[in-house]
Amino acid sequence: MCGIVGYAGNRDALSIIIGGLESLEYRGYDSAGVSVLEAGAIETTRATGKLSELKKVLSTKKRNGTASLGIGHTRWATHGRPTETNAHPHTAGRVSLIHNGIIENYLPLRAMLEGKGCVFLSETDTEVAAHLLNTLLAEGLEPLDAMREMCSKVKGSYAFLAIDSNNPDRVLVAKNSTPIIIGRGDEENLIASDIPAVLQHTRRILVLEDGDLAEVTASSVYIENGGKQVSRTEETISWDPITAQKGGFKHFMLKEIHDQARVVGDTLRGRISEHDASVKLPELDALRGKASSLKRIVMVACGTAWHACLEGKFFIEEFAGIPCEVDYASEFRYRSRLIDSDTLVIAVSQSGETLDTLGALECAAGKGPTLAICNVVGASICRKAEMVMYTHAGPEISVASTKAFTTQLVALQLLALFLAEARGTMSAAARRNVLHAVLELPAALSQTLKVDSEVAVVAKKFFQARDFLFLGRGRCYPIALEGALKLKEISYIHAEGYPAGEMKHGPIALIDENMPVVMILQREKPLFEKTLSNLKEVEARGARVIVVTDASEEDLKGVATQGLIRVPFVSSELSPILLNVPLQMLAYHVAVLNGTDVDLPRNLAKSVTVE
Ligand code: F6R
């Protein structure tokens, strides 16, 4: 996501901040900006695009001496397009402020502040925080008291850094659900969203906790939580800078697998209202009125996103009762398409730049409503679609998609519930049940991530196999396809995903003792028993079976396997999300054992902008 760097010291703040932001470039961003205190005044510079663009603008500016205090930001757009006015820092009066996270109640706050005469220049949620802080300081509050008061008014996730021209010696910091660290130096302190940003200057790190407020000067760090001073343990970081960029993980893919519990929280944030069991998607207001008349949904995507659509079909048909078709975008483009004003076309894409998906969306334009489900704000697919729902997975660096897929499934689940409510196909009680399970997902994913070491053992047993078969039924069939795709793309081992019940119609001929079969076994009845029978069929023919399941130990009695991975059970609808995680890990460990380039597999690109 976005990158944050702040500095209070005696050296040139500007070059230290830019250097710090450069070490966060791998996270992806679409604009950047800095504010420094020069001769008692705040000097802000912002630019769209890469840091090199910001540097170009800075090099043309006349400086009023050297600044020794400042804040800088790289923005990955969430609210508002990636333009210069939407780039951070946002300035209001004597305050300049940067923010990572999402302010959920920014619209009422903005209206309230506009009522008081504040003039807003950007489309962002962040600007309300700058105005609020400035208003509170202008009312006479001390800096930290104003920051505390401002934070009590905003709902959502945030890491805020702010500077105040009337208090030019300090950076104000606040954290809630978004990471922030402080790097301790000699007569200087740095603040950042991520450790790599400060490693050039110090390895002494304080990690702030949710609810922490801090005031950082060159020589001091004051931290409080709940109105009381607290201390945070200083850690010494031994990672090299590259490992640090990967959050201490060996590869981006592994980091992104482990990001999933957190980013699903971002996908859900502000979108679930428990009291009326409803899903809040203001970005789909135009769809609410049309929902009852929808006769059909056509989903188009490529690769992993196409698998997400196959899963989404289950959610939408079951909850909202709308027949769904799922098409490869590359196929949809070149066949006759029966689309009318009662057909909703949904394009799903992580990058929002996949040419085939964009082309498919273009074919549907003007015929009926179109919706993009996308991760990258302002991408071409988002601009082409009438409506956009963002997945908020944050930048995905590894070519093999992991967290983007998981957040697509969560977004599709929310969409299905939204449509069900609009069409009246689900009672509030039924929606509440599903939403309870959805809200358990981040914790269940954290729990699921603990199977990594067990999966690594299975990978060691099987990494030399030439072929793999992934089998599943119902909602686990798309997961079987996704498991096979992940394995083949990063380990170069041939793998196929198949509906377990179809095996006997041909592929069972492939089975022998050299063929590992990964069976995705959901506990939901009656498919549990049916899939178990399919497991026996392959086992009887000598296959080496690995079972990935959410079934209980009791249910699994008598099931002999060469590898058993169990994940928690949340609900039948959401099981595929959890069952997919061990498959991502299996692909990862097999690829590492085979020595392939995990993050940059041969012949593949992160976003496929050719036909
Ligand atoms: C697989 C993978 C690809 C993409 C596909 C679509 O791990 O990453 O199959 O899913 O190229 O990309 P987006 O979602 O960017 O349209």
Side-chain angles (χ1 to χ4, degrees), residues 287-401:
L287 191 57
R288 192 178 288 281
K290 283 188 193 133
S292 309
S293 60
L294 285 180
K295 300 231 161 34
R296 199 165 135 248
I297 291 181
V298 175
M299 303 169 93
V300 290
C302 303
T304 288
W306 183 76
H307 298 152
C309 294
L310 292 178
E311 206 63 64
K313 174 180 160 76
F314 279 89
F315 302 154
I316 294 172
E317 291 189 342
E318 205 169 307
F319 294 168
I322 310 171
C324 275
E325 287 165 34
V326 178
D327 223 334
Y328 284 116
S330 54
E331 291 295 316
F332 178 81
R333 297 176 72 180
Y334 299 106
R335 67 174 176 81
S336 56
R337 296 166 295 266
L338 303 173
I339 294 183
D340 58 21
S341 57
D342 297 330
T343 307
L344 169 68
V345 174
I346 305 178
V348 179
S349 173
Q350 185 287 128
S351 62
E353 300 297 345
T354 302
L355 195 74
D356 279 320
T357 312
L358 183 62
L361 200 55
E362 272 161 2
C363 296
K367 301 202 169 91
T370 56
L371 162 67
I373 295 184
C374 190
N375 190 34
V376 179
V377 173
S380 305
I381 287 172
C382 306
R383 294 199 302 272
K384 183 57 65 186
E386 268 171 58
M387 293 163 282
V388 186
M389 179 180 180
Y390 288 110
T391 52
H392 299 306
E396 195 177 59
I397 313 282
S398 163
V399 164
S401 187

Side-chain angles (χ1 to χ4, degrees), residues 77-332:
T78 55
H79 285 70
R81 290 157 300 142
T83 59
E84 189 188 328
T85 24
N86 286 336
H88 301 205
H90 290 285
T91 303
R94 51 192 261 203
V95 164
S96 189
L97 176 143
I98 55 181
H99 166 222
N100 278 2
I102 296 172
I103 301 176
E104 291 163 16
N105 58 337
Y106 81 104
L107 286 174
L109 286 176
R110 183 168 171 147
M112 181 273 286
L113 288 159
E114 280 172 338
K116 287 186 171 182
C118 296
V119 177
F120 281 79
L121 304 172
S122 77
E123 303 162 305
T124 65
D125 52 339
T126 302
E127 203 181 350
V128 296
H131 279 287
L132 259 178
L133 189 60
N134 181 55
T135 308
L136 292 161
L137 286 166
E139 284 169 8
L141 264 66
E142 287 301 312
L144 207 59
D145 296 336
M147 194 70 163
R148 192 184 310 113
E149 185 65 15
M150 186 270 275
C151 291
S152 74
K153 293 188 187 317
V154 301
K155 259 177 69 188
S157 60
Y158 51 77
F160 290 123
L161 258 63
I163 54 175
D164 165 18
S165 57
N166 287 15
N167 290 283
D169 62 338
R170 68 198 75 176
V171 179
L172 300 169
V173 185
K175 172 199 169 354
N176 184 41
S177 304
T178 300
I180 202 91
I181 59 106
I182 296 175
R184 304 289 324 255
D186 291 333
E187 285 307 303
E188 64 178 10
N189 287 301
L190 293 102
I191 311 109
S193 51
D194 246 327
I195 292 170
V198 305
L199 279 187
Q200 250 184 306
H201 308 285
T202 180
R203 293 185 167 267
R204 294 164 51 205
I205 304 293
L206 305 175
V207 179
L208 294 196
E209 292 181 11
D210 281 349
D212 280 358
L213 293 179
E215 202 164 46
V216 180
T217 68
S219 55
S220 67
V221 173
Y222 169 84
I223 308 173
E224 64 163 56
N225 195 312
K228 290 201 186 81
Q229 183 170 6
V230 290
S231 60
R232 299 288 168 231
T233 317
E234 192 175 295
E235 293 170 35
T236 304
I237 300 295
S238 54
W239 311 330
D240 62 88
I242 298 294
T243 312
Q245 284 188 351
K246 294 171 185 158
F249 290 99
K250 201 168 162 210
H251 295 97
F252 282 112
M253 181 181 178
L254 192 59
K255 174 184 182 292
E256 285 158 10
I257 289 173
H258 283 265
D259 273 350
Q260 292 179 112
R262 182 178 54 80
V263 296
V264 160
D266 292 338
T267 312
L268 296 175
R269 185 160 295 115
R271 286 173 161 171
I272 292 180
S273 159
E274 281 187 89
H275 82 276
D276 57 352
S278 71
V279 171
K280 303 288 175 220
L281 292 170
E283 61 271 50
L284 305 189
D285 272 351
L287 191 57
R288 192 178 288 281
K290 283 188 193 133
S292 309
S293 60
L294 285 180
K295 300 231 161 34
R296 199 165 135 248
I297 291 181
V298 175
M299 303 169 93
V300 290
C302 303
T304 288
W306 183 76
H307 298 152
C309 294
L310 292 178
E311 206 63 64
K313 174 180 160 76
F314 279 89
F315 302 154
I316 294 172
E317 291 189 342
E318 205 169 307
F319 294 168
I322 310 171
C324 275
E325 287 165 34
V326 178
D327 223 334
Y328 284 116
S330 54
E331 291 295 316
F332 178 81

